[in-house]
Amino acid sequence: MGKSSLIIVLGLSVIVAFFILKLNANSKESLSTTIDMYKQTHARQIANSGVEIYLDKLYFNPSMINNTYQNNELMNGSYDVILTGSYQNVKVTSTATFMDITHTSVVHASLVDIVAPDMLGVLYLPTSAIVWSNTGNATLNINGHNHDWDGFLDSSFASTYGIYVNNQTDKTQIVSKLAKNKNAFIYGLGDDIEPYSIGVGGIVYENEKWKLLSELLASAAGSNVFDSKSKIPIILGTKEEPIVAVINEPDPTKSVSLNNLEGSGILVVNGSISIAGNFKWHGLILAYKDSKMAIQLTGQATIIGAILATGNTIEFLGQGTVDLKYSKQTIQYVFNQATPLGYKITSWWE
Amino acid sequence: MSVLLDLMGSTFIGGILLLLILKLNLFVTNTSFTSDSELKLQQSTKTLADILNYDLRKIGYNHDKSSGSPFITVNDSVIEFKADVVPLYGDGTTETVKYYVGESELIMGQSFRVLKRSVNGTEDMAGPSLGLVKLNFSYLDSVSQTIADPQSSLSKINYVKTELWVEPEIQFDNFTTSVRDSIYTYWELIINPRNL
């Protein structure tokens, strides 16, 4: 009897084990399908990141051309990069390995001049469906007449509009909001006819142009990239050495503080900024990518140059003052000094 | 008498064990079918996603941007574009690539579609349906908003969103409920072609 029981128990165990193994094989295969997809995606991302990292490095160090850079570690994988061609026209071959998966991206890029954009308004909003908010009666002195570097009126360049939008609906909305703010003064082209100088450019969809400009500028920023945790210097570029700086805070709940800061050059902003104390900027402020640009004012902000905002939400909050003065020569000067060239991608195989 | 009782008792216990094994076998067989079906469903969907992923990432590769957008036909069931898709890393000239789904086919009483790919309008390629029942393309602009009429706004397209609905080609009755299983997989890809 004892022997029989043992045989029955062992027999049953073998049968059950067989069934479990069979079911487990499917489960393992299923997991493997998912993981394969993850590995492929991860390897591709490593290879693509490798391209961007080495284009950035090459930009600042032309002697890196026609060399191979192996075993760079990134995101728990590794990648090899080959830079061939010339500094002006480079081919980047990035081969990434993540676990047992390999992915190769081949990219051609050319150095191009980054030219200053034509600003149709000193506050240029080349997008549609703008949400404009100026709560708290912030004082807005927006002036599209040309000024010199020091902020004095200068007739050597033509005036532009105070604000420039794509369509009449946006203009109507902005005018109605401005009318509720007795401290809003919008000067520039047409201010002798209408209370506010606001230009309308019909349907002009130029997001690609601004995206490219933003990316070129971001690649020229070098180490001047800040977020809400960064300690931002109180001087960001000078007249003698204007710089490109990037403020990147994609978290909409956080705001980057620009307190008592003075700078010259091109300030690329992705996210919300708050200005307390005094803020003075010579050059262009380009707000891109994120759909919201919130300026929390508790002090005095002076911008001599222009603001280009490609998102669709503009908020001026608080009780402070904004002096925005158009200065074409300032914009041209900072572009000439701070951004000689940038890499433009001509083709990307991935 | 005791021998008779032993025989009856062991027959009874043996019978119960046999029934248990039969039931277990039935359950495992059913679970195995379902599991096989789900695995095949997952693998088929991944295969379809891999095929689309490979080509859609190359939209506009080696296309002369000054000649306009690489997109030719864009709607919810067809995407046609210019790209140099010749392996490996292209041959320098662009091809016209088109993805669309064929007419519905009945397989074991169910309606399936076949994903088709044509290159330069001549090389129609199609494999088995792999259980595809529905394919939907939509097109997003630079701020990830869906473009209502993409065909008239080709230059606005920044992202291509592809949705796949895949069902098992053979469906089984559920062992417990006796109702036919209606499992399906939904797969969504949003691709940002780098060459736009």
Side-chain angles (χ1 to χ4, degrees):
Chain A
M1 186 66 184
K3 211 182 266 183
S4 307
S5 302
L6 198 63
I7 290 167
I8 289 169
V9 169
L10 284 174
L12 278 176
S13 302
V14 169
I15 292 167
V16 170
F18 172 75
F19 287 151
I20 289 172
L21 275 175
K22 189 169 173 0
L23 288 179
N24 204 30
N26 270 4
S27 174
K28 192 180 159 196
E29 193 60 34
S30 172
L31 187 64
S32 161
T33 308
T34 309
I35 290 175
D36 275 352
M37 192 73 185
Y38 167 73
K39 286 197 269 189
Q40 286 167 13
T41 305
H42 207 72
R44 180 172 53 75
Q45 287 174 336
I46 293 173
N48 289 347
S49 299
V51 170
E52 293 182 1
I53 289 167
Y54 270 84
L55 271 180
D56 233 30
K57 287 186 175 183
L58 179 66
Y59 177 78
F60 291 102
N61 184 3
S63 67
M64 290 176 70
I65 195 71
N66 290 319
N67 272 312
T68 301
Y69 302 90
Q70 291 180 312
N71 297 323
N72 303 283
E73 289 190 5
L74 185 68
M75 299 191 287
N76 295 321
S78 66
Y79 64 95
D80 300 337
V81 169
I82 305 170
L83 300 174
T84 50
S86 64
Y87 179 63
Q88 281 71 28
N89 294 293
V90 62
K91 178 184 173 187
V92 186
T93 306
S94 173
T95 303
T97 305
F98 178 69
M99 298 177 82
D100 51 344
I101 300 288
T102 298
H103 181 94
T104 301
S105 294
V106 180
V107 174
H108 289 86
S110 302
L111 272 180
V112 292
D113 281 319
I114 305 175
V115 293
D118 287 330
M119 298 300 294
L120 301 178
V122 62
L123 179 55
Y124 186 14
L125 309 170
T127 183
S128 54
I130 295 162
V131 178
W132 176 284
S133 171
N134 53 299
T135 54
N137 279 339
T139 302
L140 304 177
N141 295 313
I142 298 175
N143 195 327
H145 298 297
N146 192 59
H147 296 72
D148 64 14
W149 178 276
D150 298 315
F152 295 111
L153 281 169
D154 175 19
S155 58
S156 56
F157 288 99
S159 299
T160 187
Y161 285 99
I163 300 171
Y164 195 89
V165 292
N166 272 3
N167 57 61
Q168 189 60 43
T169 309
D170 286 337
K171 177 176 175 178
T172 306
Q173 184 219 157
I174 291 172
V175 167
S176 72
K177 297 273 177 68
L178 289 173
K180 293 173 188 165
N181 182 354
K182 63 180 192 303
N183 298 320
F185 308 98
I186 316 297
Y187 299 117
L189 283 178
D191 62 6
D192 51 338
I193 303 167
E194 295 189 48
Y196 302 116
S197 165
I198 302 179
V200 178
I203 300 167
V204 183
Y205 196 93
E206 296 184 301
N207 262 12
E208 276 314 297
K209 182 176 166 184
W210 306 128
K211 186 181 163 198
L212 175 63
L213 177 67
S214 309
E215 286 172 357
L216 288 171
L217 288 171
S219 71
S223 59
N224 298 316
V225 179
F226 309 101
D227 60 19
S228 57
K229 294 176 193 155
S230 307
K231 189 166 189 245
I232 302 175
I234 56 167
I235 302 289
L236 265 182
T238 60
K239 185 176 183 181
E240 290 70 34
E241 284 187 44
I243 62 165
V244 178
V246 173
I247 288 175
N248 186 36
E249 183 48 79
D251 184 345
T253 63
K254 291 178 180 164
S255 174
V256 179
S257 298
L258 304 175
N259 300 337
N260 297 316
L261 185 148
E262 189 168 340
S264 300
I266 300 149
L267 185 63
V268 183
V269 178
N270 173 29
S272 299
I273 54 175
S274 64
I275 295 171
N278 290 320
F279 171 82
K280 191 168 188 180
W281 191 265
H282 282 93
L284 181 71
I285 296 180
L286 171 62
Y288 84 110
K289 210 164 155 185
D290 196 63
S291 59
K292 182 175 179 179
M293 182 188 185
I295 302 175
Q296 177 79 42
L297 287 164
T298 55
Q300 164 81 37
T302 304
I303 296 133
I304 297 168
I307 293 179
L308 169 64
T310 64
N312 57 14
T313 300
I314 306 292
E315 289 184 343
F316 292 100
L317 310 164
Q319 302 288 342
T321 302
V322 174
D323 274 327
L324 174 56
K325 297 175 177 177
Y326 177 61
S327 174
K328 183 157 186 167
Q329 56 261 59
T330 302
I331 296 170
Q332 284 182 338
Y333 174 78
V334 297
F335 265 78
N336 287 339
Q337 296 294 312
T339 64
L341 295 164
Y343 273 114
K344 182 186 173 189
I345 305 295
T346 52
S347 71
W348 191 302
W349 175 285
E350 61 171 341
Chain B
M1 183 64 181
S2 66
V3 174
L4 193 63
L5 279 173
D6 278 353
L7 279 171
M8 283 173 69
S10 57
T11 308
F12 179 70
I13 292 166
I16 287 175
L17 283 174
L18 196 65
L19 278 174
L20 277 174
I21 290 172
L22 280 174
K23 189 162 183 194
L24 179 67
N25 185 40
L26 206 61
F27 172 76
V28 169
T29 306
N30 194 276
T31 309
S32 179
F33 273 129
T34 310
S35 174
D36 282 346
S37 178
E38 284 176 2
L39 176 62
K40 194 177 168 199
L41 182 67
Q42 190 185 11
Q43 288 174 331
S44 299
T45 314
K46 182 179 176 286
T47 303
L48 289 166
D50 277 343
I51 292 167
L52 286 162
N53 190 35
Y54 181 85
D55 272 355
L56 297 188
R57 289 200 178 279
K58 291 166 187 64
I59 292 173
Y61 183 66
N62 281 343
H63 170 68
D64 178 10
K65 285 181 186 169
S66 63
S67 65
S69 168
F71 292 102
I72 301 167
T73 309
V74 283
N75 57 49
D76 57 359
S77 57
V78 177
I79 181 168
E80 189 177 17
F81 55 89
K82 287 194 173 292
D84 184 1
V85 291
V86 175
L88 195 57
Y89 314 129
D91 62 357
T93 55
T94 56
E95 289 82 37
T96 300
V97 183
K98 182 179 178 183
Y99 275 101
Y100 58 106
V101 285
E103 293 299 313
S104 293
E105 293 174 11
L106 276 178
I107 301 173
M108 297 185 71
Q110 288 175 259
S111 180
F112 291 103
R113 319 288 296 262
V114 175
L115 177 67
K116 295 191 173 183
R117 174 189 192 253
S118 84
V119 177
N120 293 330
T122 53
E123 302 166 38
D124 273 329
M125 286 173 65
S129 85
L130 295 174
L132 181 68
V133 290
K134 190 179 168 192
L135 172 72
N136 190 66
F137 295 112
S138 50
Y139 308 89
L140 314 179
D141 63 15
S142 60
V143 288
S144 299
Q145 297 296 311
T146 304
I147 302 168
D149 180 11
Q151 191 61 53
S152 60
S153 316
L154 296 177
S155 63
K156 285 187 183 179
I157 300 172
N158 269 257
Y159 301 89
V160 179
K161 179 176 169 184
T162 308
E163 294 164 289
L164 301 161
W165 285 263
V166 181
E167 289 183 5
E169 287 177 320
I170 303 169
Q171 296 183 354
F172 302 98
D173 291 343
N174 188 283
F175 172 69
T176 319
T177 61
S178 300
V179 176
R180 180 148 289 196
D181 273 331
S182 55
I183 56 166
Y184 73 96
T185 286
Y186 168 78
W187 195 297
E188 181 182 308
L189 299 143
I190 297 179
I191 290 173
N192 173 212
R194 298 265 188 165
N195 296 289
L196 293 179

